[in-house]
Amino acid sequence: MQSMKARLAQPEILLAPGVYDALSAALAEQAGFEALYLSGASIAYTALGRSDIGLTTYSEVCEKVAQLRDRVQIPLIVDADTGFGNALNTERTVRGFERAGANIIQLEDQSFPKRCGHLDGKTIVSSQEMVGKIKAATDARHSSDTLIMARTDAVAVEGFDAAIERAERYLEAGADILFVEAVRSDEQMQIVNQRFAGRVPLLANMVEGGKTPVKSAEALQAIGYSIAIFPGGTVRAVAHLLQNYYASLKVTGSTQAFQSAMLDFDGLNAVIGTPELLARGKHYENGGKP
């Protein structure tokens, strides 16, 4: 696996789709993506059926990281929310996520309870507290190849200029990647990149219907971004598909009308590797003989 440090040194933008479980991760890897973004919001949406308002826990997300790492080989960018507490909680989060298989760990400066970066009503901790958490995170990681991403949500709380100054402090504290969340315009995206591009990799968060203008990876690269994530698009697509699937099944009493939009039994087994698993099981049943 190529280190994220080496990959982000390349000029081409890294496009990472949002995933929320091992199946979505496996499908994204099979589609040819170089890295995946394990979205905290999408875990809340799918595991709890609830909003991204701070309900998920360290142990729930850490278990997801381990499940993904057991299934896919490509790098994982993991949303660690606020570190699930103070600097000491952040230390535990970084150690646990790194051990489970995270390659980039994202921490944000919201206070608790945190909420989706594109919801209104956010609150944030002091920049001093966040600086301490970033330093705790960089001290806690086992390998310098595990990168720490610092996200600021200050645009919605203190304003754009304050968010830029916070990002500067987080870079000074040792953050490997910066994420200025929920910028509101093309002009703000340009200013972020004029200030930081070339000094540190920058992440752009594309949320359908959110605060930030949604652009293609190519357009974001032209602005100066190094990483583009589409974190919640996966769940929104799946939710839309399931609404249509359930409506069709309820009306018709059968899946026949929907079969062209589905994988059949053998198709799904091919995707998840059932033939290979059965063959490997048989190999060990025979004592591991060729």
Side-chain angles (χ1 to χ4, degrees):
M1 181 193 305
Q2 183 183 32
S3 75
M4 283 287 89
K5 190 178 296 185
R7 174 59 184 86
L8 293 175
Q10 298 174 12
E12 296 80 17
I13 194 168
L14 178 67
L15 173 60
V19 298
Y20 55 86
D21 65 3
L23 177 60
S24 60
L27 291 168
E29 184 179 52
Q30 290 169 17
F33 288 99
E34 296 181 76
L36 307 175
Y37 183 84
L38 179 57
S39 162
S42 292
I43 293 173
Y45 299 155
T46 56
L48 306 179
R50 293 294 186 183
S51 307
D52 180 20
I53 53 172
L55 299 176
T56 55
T57 64
Y58 158 80
S59 57
E60 288 172 325
V61 180
C62 194
E63 182 179 17
K64 290 290 183 186
V65 178
Q67 289 170 348
L68 266 63
R69 178 49 68 220
D70 188 57
R71 185 64 181 85
V72 300
Q73 300 300 311
I74 58 179
L76 301 176
I77 306 168
V78 179
D79 180 1
D81 288 345
T82 63
F84 303 97
N86 63 15
L88 299 181
N89 297 108
T90 298
E91 286 182 333
R92 179 176 184 239
T93 296
V94 168
R95 287 195 299 265
F97 284 14
E98 181 183 42
R99 188 167 56 246
N103 302 94
I104 298 175
I105 299 170
Q106 174 193 308
L107 298 165
E108 66 195 42
D109 60 6
Q110 285 197 53
S111 55
F112 191 83
K114 62 89 60 187
R115 61 180 62 196
C116 171
H118 292 255
L119 288 174
D120 294 327
K122 295 184 291 184
T123 56
I124 56 179
V125 300
S126 70
S127 59
Q128 179 176 329
E129 180 176 343
M130 184 62 178
V131 162
K133 291 168 83 168
I134 293 167
K135 291 182 177 179
T138 57
D139 287 345
R141 62 186 171 186
H142 176 73
S143 170
S144 61
D145 284 335
T146 302
L147 304 184
I148 303 301
M149 183 192 311
R151 164 177 148 178
T152 179
D153 286 76
V155 171
V157 182
E158 298 178 340
F160 179 71
D161 291 342
I164 293 294
E165 292 311 309
R166 278 178 172 259
E168 189 70 61
R169 289 202 64 190
Y170 301 165
L171 178 58
E172 293 172 359
D176 301 296
I177 303 164
L178 291 180
F179 174 5
V180 181
E181 171 66 303
V183 292
R184 305 302 176 90
S185 65
D186 291 359
E187 180 185 10
Q188 289 186 351
M189 297 172 85
Q190 293 283 356
I191 293 171
V192 169
N193 280 273
Q194 288 167 5
R195 179 74 171 261
F196 296 107
R199 299 171 60 199
V200 64
L202 295 168
L203 179 141
N205 182 20
M206 299 289 97
V207 177
E208 300 82 4
K211 308 288 188 183
T212 303
V214 174
K215 299 181 180 296
S216 69
E218 181 181 11
L220 292 168
Q221 178 177 314
I223 296 171
Y225 286 104
S226 299
I227 308 172
I229 60 170
F230 288 76
T234 303
V235 178
R236 280 184 273 278
V238 168
H240 181 66
L241 179 66
L242 287 177
Q243 283 182 327
N244 291 333
Y245 168 80
Y246 289 134
S248 176
L249 178 59
K250 182 68 169 61
V251 169
T252 67
S254 169
T255 59
Q256 186 173 357
F258 213 81
Q259 284 181 6
S260 63
M262 299 168 59
L263 294 172
D264 65 11
F265 182 78
D266 289 337
L268 179 57
N269 278 307
V271 165
I272 61 179
T274 301
E276 293 83 1
L277 284 172
L278 294 176
R280 196 158 75 245
K282 192 69 174 177
H283 167 74
Y284 289 117
E285 287 173 10
N286 292 330
K289 297 176 182 179

